[in-house]
Amino acid sequence: MTRRRQVAAQTIQEQTYQALRRAILDGEFVPGRAMTIRGIAEDLDISPTPVREALRRLVAERALTLSGTGRVSVPVMDREKLADLVKARICLEKQAAMDAVPGITAAELRRLVRLNDAIDGAIAAGNQRRYLVTHRDFHFSLYRLGGGGVFLPLIESVWLQFSPFLRYTLSQEHLAQYNASDRHVEIIAAAEARDANALGFAVEADIRHGLGALVESDWSAHAAEGDVVAAP
Amino acid sequence: MTRRRQVAAQTIQEQTYQALRRAILDGEFVPGRAMTIRGIAEDLDISPTPVREALRRLVAERALTLSGTGRVSVPVMDREKLADLVKARICLEKQAAMDAVPGITAAELRRLVRLNDAIDGAIAAGNQRRYLVTHRDFHFSLYRLGGGGVFLPLIESVWLQFSPFLRYTLSQEHLAQYNASDRHVEIIAAAEARDANALGFAVEADIRHGLGALVESDWSAHAAEGDVVAAP
DNA sequence: GGATACAATATGTGATCACAAATTTCTGCC
DNA sequence: GGCAGAAATTTGTGATCACATATTGTATCC
């Protein structure tokens, strides 16, 4: 594999970044627990340089946080931050959904329906990781339909910030409660109707009902820092 | 200087990042013109490593863009992107301003007044760079008063994306037009009244009247890529 | 002047190294 | 067991290197 950027070939740095990003989004790193450059490099069987650069990127995107001594970890969640992430999601994702309306096709609608079915399946199976992946895919399939240059990176940064926390916080009860009132169906209906206002409101309601409900709910300090017992 | 993070000491990487970030915000890099790691390292009299890492951060923050061959440059502006940046500013900064209301003090209000005077001075002097600096300071002095963990980095990323373009686009005419209807005075009045709704609307009006007005205005392709003749 | 081919030079990338500081482990004492 | 201190080890940082690729410069031809 050459080192240059070609359509299929990617730099080691980019591959490392994507692997770490995916792992963070899927909640594979315990919040608060430091990772080491050399540890990741050994895991991936590469030199530390691309790891360093990938970590820099993820810190810049707020997926990771840098300690006073240069150590890197997934940040621990707190209630104020969670409330801010909900607000950020609402303003950004509402706008992104509305901007997506001109790009909605029948194929995209079918995709959304399929993904929502997959979300239901993940919840029924109690599979948190699959829930995170399909849920994320559902939302981003919609937002990607608008212009992707400005809003998508902002939204991605926000998702990087709350997803690890979700992995350790969402109980079966939360998921069932969330799914009992399926706002995704409303999102799909508004998208089908190409009604930007209804779509914006449906996305906002989904966020408030989902992540927003966690702001006031009871999650232990351990869940915020990653419940070691519950870790896979 | 020790390499560890102490209250006063910063890593070379962090200093490099801050210097580059400042230069980008102040429009010192011509959009579209590639910079080189070794060039910056030579300018700053350091090795390429911290430059690489700083550039990675700035790419992640969308201040810089990476070409297919790994080259880094300040992105060229286009109309759709500018419109999206305006939308992103409105939703993010409106929320951040409203969240800032509980933190407004008399000293902060005096600071905003002083900064608005400085903006007027920069416009009267036809000093674009000073305008960019004071204008930015005005806005961020307000937004910093709310929780800084989520919204500030998002807003900073957006500002990193449009500020270089402003440097090469804003004419005296634009600045005078912008300042003829001083929305900052309205922002200050709403802040003084601790009226979150009025403040949110004032911030939105300011953005629409300022950056928003540029979406429909006539700026040449050269300005989007940085007008070499007009460069300092 | 423009196009082409080739040579020279520059560039980004990943690897490796050295070193100061941070962290962990070990030892001795109460 | 807890605490303190020392020793050992690990870690992040910046520097440097090698190399494949990209870019620039030069020569030649039409």
Side-chain angles (χ1 to χ4, degrees), chain A:
Chain A
M1 183 182 83
T2 66
R3 275 203 210 100
R4 288 299 88 206
R5 296 173 179 276
Q6 296 172 356
V7 174
Q10 285 194 317
T11 61
I12 293 175
Q13 197 274 136
E14 182 69 26
Q15 291 174 60
T16 305
Y17 166 77
Q18 294 291 345
L20 290 176
R21 185 178 177 280
R22 167 62 56 84
I24 290 164
L25 282 170
D26 294 350
E28 289 175 21
F29 289 105
V30 180
R33 184 180 297 175
M35 58 193 77
T36 68
I37 294 163
R38 287 168 168 127
I40 293 167
E42 189 178 318
D43 288 346
L44 300 179
D45 196 30
I46 57 175
S47 82
T49 309
V51 176
R52 290 168 61 169
E53 295 192 5
L55 292 180
R56 290 291 176 199
R57 290 170 68 179
L58 290 162
V59 169
E61 288 171 355
R62 325 297 291 189
L64 298 175
T65 191
L66 211 44
S67 77
T69 55
R71 293 295 176 91
V72 169
S73 62
V74 168
V76 173
M77 183 60 71
D78 66 66
R79 230 162 263 281
E80 185 186 353
K81 184 172 178 178
L82 186 58
D84 280 352
L85 288 168
V86 169
K87 286 183 202 169
R89 280 196 70 195
I90 286 167
C91 75
L92 290 171
E93 293 181 37
K94 188 170 182 170
Q95 186 65 60
M98 292 167 84
D99 289 347
V101 164
I104 294 170
T105 63
E108 292 297 338
L109 285 168
R110 285 194 296 273
R111 178 178 167 84
L112 289 176
V113 171
R114 249 184 357 255
L115 285 168
N116 199 32
D117 288 343
I119 293 169
D120 291 343
I123 292 173
N127 188 330
Q128 279 182 330
R129 185 173 181 279
R130 202 156 117 230
Y131 165 74
L132 287 181
V133 172
T134 52
H135 183 241
R136 189 168 74 229
D137 207 359
F138 177 87
H139 278 271
F140 280 90
S141 292
L142 178 59
Y143 307 147
R144 252 181 240 125
L145 300 180
V150 171
F151 276 86
L152 274 190
L154 295 170
I155 296 169
E156 276 165 355
S157 173
V158 174
W159 277 68
L160 281 164
Q161 288 175 68
F162 71 81
S163 296
F165 163 74
L166 275 196
R167 176 71 193 280
Y168 294 103
T169 306
L170 282 181
S171 62
Q172 275 289 92
E173 189 183 14
H174 279 127
L175 286 185
Q177 200 170 15
Y178 175 60
N179 214 32
S181 164
D182 192 348
R183 308 289 170 149
H184 290 182
V185 171
E186 292 168 22
I187 288 174
I188 292 168
E192 191 165 9
R194 269 72 163 183
D195 185 336
N197 278 329
L199 184 57
F201 281 120
V203 164
E204 176 172 356
D206 179 54
I207 295 166
R208 288 195 190 282
H209 184 65
L211 196 65
L214 290 180
V215 174
E216 305 295 347
S217 76
D218 181 22
W219 34 270
S220 70
H222 280 180
E225 296 177 13
D227 190 333
V228 181
V229 175

Side-chain angles (χ1 to χ4, degrees), chain B residues 182-205:
Chain B
D182 193 347
R183 309 292 171 145
H184 289 181
V185 172
E186 293 169 22
I187 288 173
I188 292 168
E192 192 166 10
R194 270 72 164 183
D195 186 337
N197 278 329
L199 185 56
F201 283 118
V203 165
E204 177 174 354

